[in-house]
Amino acid sequence: MTETLAQFHFLRPWWLLLVLPAVGLWWLQRREADTTARWRMVMDARLLAALTVGGDRHRRVAPEDVLLAAWAVGIVAVAGPTWRQVPSPFAQSARPAMFVLKVTPSMQERDLAPSRLDRAREKMVDLLKLREGAQTGLIAYAGSAHLVLPPTPDEAVVTSMAGALVPGIMPRQGDALADAIQLAQRTLADAGQGGSIVVFADTAPPLTGVEVGAAPVTLFAMKPVERARADPALSAAATALGADLVVPTIDTSDVDALARTLATAGPPPSAPGEAPRWQEVGWWLTPFVALLAALWFRRGWVLA
């Protein structure tokens, strides 16, 4: 909901200025419709109400009020409200993704056979097969974060590079998850194609004050299901990142669901040099305009 509100805007905001003359016409109509306005200046209000036919009854909603509401809704619709981007017909349909792999000695534990690191690679391969043709990048981190591959559609290269990552080649031990997330966000932003981030890790450090970027994050827990769900560090990291926490399964149901999420996560890609395209939703207001206009078919409504 917060992301929707942040992206809400009007495609043609200048049309909203028509609200000013609409309010002016409404005020003039109200003034002309009040035939007792001059009498109230010279006559007692209670006496005037007694001498006026229907003077003791006050109409809650007048025809001019409904007319103003119809004008306002119509003006908002014409202004082109929107909050959702649509993919370019000239751009690739699949969203890019950055795989962020933790490469530490703890990832060599064998409680998730054959090991946590090997299982992470297997899940990557499954995801790459389901995302055939989609651009995928790779980041490795331990005590520091390093870009291994920028987003590329070559699945074999991503698989090969991930298979070569072992804790011994990392320059520093530790858990620089926040740095890895920021590096992935910058890489996707530089590519200008949107996309999302998938972190493969067995645990996470405290992430207080970490900046959440535009690309949504998924935290893939590389632990047995029971231990992953009971790990407070993983839950806290997912909360801090606004991420979905995915636990591994024996079959491919976990990557199947994740692949569907990645296909639509984040802003859609656009063609190089093309401005973002937004889906106009003003036509949703058409039934409200029709409903307000239907009141003019009531007998005596206009003359009331």
Side-chain angles (χ1 to χ4, degrees):
M1 178 62 71
T2 303
E3 182 180 356
T4 300
L5 292 177
Q7 294 185 351
F8 180 83
H9 65 282
F10 292 94
L11 298 177
R12 296 173 293 275
W14 290 108
W15 281 89
L16 296 176
L17 294 177
L18 289 178
V19 172
L20 298 178
V23 173
L25 291 173
W26 169 81
W27 181 78
L28 290 175
Q29 178 62 25
R30 293 274 293 189
R31 185 177 179 182
E32 292 180 1
D34 188 2
T35 57
T36 62
R38 296 181 180 179
W39 289 106
R40 279 198 298 269
M41 293 187 296
V42 296
M43 184 179 296
D44 181 77
R46 289 177 295 181
L47 179 60
L48 178 61
L51 295 176
T52 304
V53 177
D56 56 344
R57 297 194 304 269
H58 298 281
R59 183 184 296 273
R60 293 185 178 180
V61 180
E64 56 269 18
D65 299 331
V66 178
L67 181 61
L68 176 63
W71 281 345
V73 175
I75 290 170
V76 171
V78 173
T82 182
W83 60 84
R84 185 185 307 162
Q85 288 191 40
V86 294
S88 169
F90 305 102
Q92 58 185 26
S93 58
R95 315 286 173 89
M98 289 297 300
F99 288 173
V100 178
L101 178 62
K102 183 179 181 182
V103 188
T104 61
S106 66
M107 288 288 285
Q108 293 182 314
E109 294 288 335
R110 298 186 179 275
D111 54 355
L112 198 62
S115 71
R116 298 175 180 178
L117 188 56
D118 290 331
R119 180 62 67 88
R121 296 191 186 104
E122 292 174 359
K123 295 300 182 181
M124 285 184 182
V125 172
D126 292 338
L127 271 174
L128 289 171
K129 291 178 180 178
L130 293 173
R131 289 170 41 81
E132 183 178 3
Q135 294 195 28
T136 305
L138 179 62
I139 288 176
Y141 78 96
S144 55
H146 306 274
L147 177 62
V148 181
L149 280 174
T152 173
D154 194 334
E155 305 172 20
V157 174
V158 179
T159 303
S160 176
M161 297 301 291
L165 295 172
V166 293
I169 68 173
M170 301 303 292
R172 186 168 55 191
Q173 294 303 313
D175 197 337
L177 176 58
D179 294 340
I181 293 293
Q182 292 177 2
L183 178 57
Q185 295 279 6
R186 290 196 303 270
T187 303
L188 289 174
D190 292 342
Q193 294 292 309
S196 52
I197 300 170
V198 183
V199 179
F200 297 87
D202 56 350
T203 187
L207 295 175
T208 56
V210 64
E211 294 185 4
V212 179
V217 180
T218 299
L219 185 55
F220 208 130
M222 289 295 104
K223 275 185 176 179
V225 176
E226 297 77 10
R227 295 183 61 184
R229 290 175 175 169
D231 191 335
L234 288 174
S235 300
T239 301
L241 296 171
D244 295 328
L245 182 60
V246 177
V247 295
T249 60
I250 298 176
D251 56 11
T252 60
S253 59
D254 50 358
V255 293
D256 290 341
L258 181 54
R260 290 192 295 269
T261 301
L262 296 180
T264 57
S270 57
E274 184 182 17
R277 302 171 70 249
W278 296 90
Q279 180 180 6
E280 186 170 347
V281 295
W283 61 271
W284 287 3
L285 299 175
T286 304
F288 297 99
V289 177
L291 179 63
L292 293 171
L295 293 175
W296 260 256
F297 291 90
R298 293 184 57 189
R299 178 178 297 178
W301 176 259
V302 178
L303 298 178

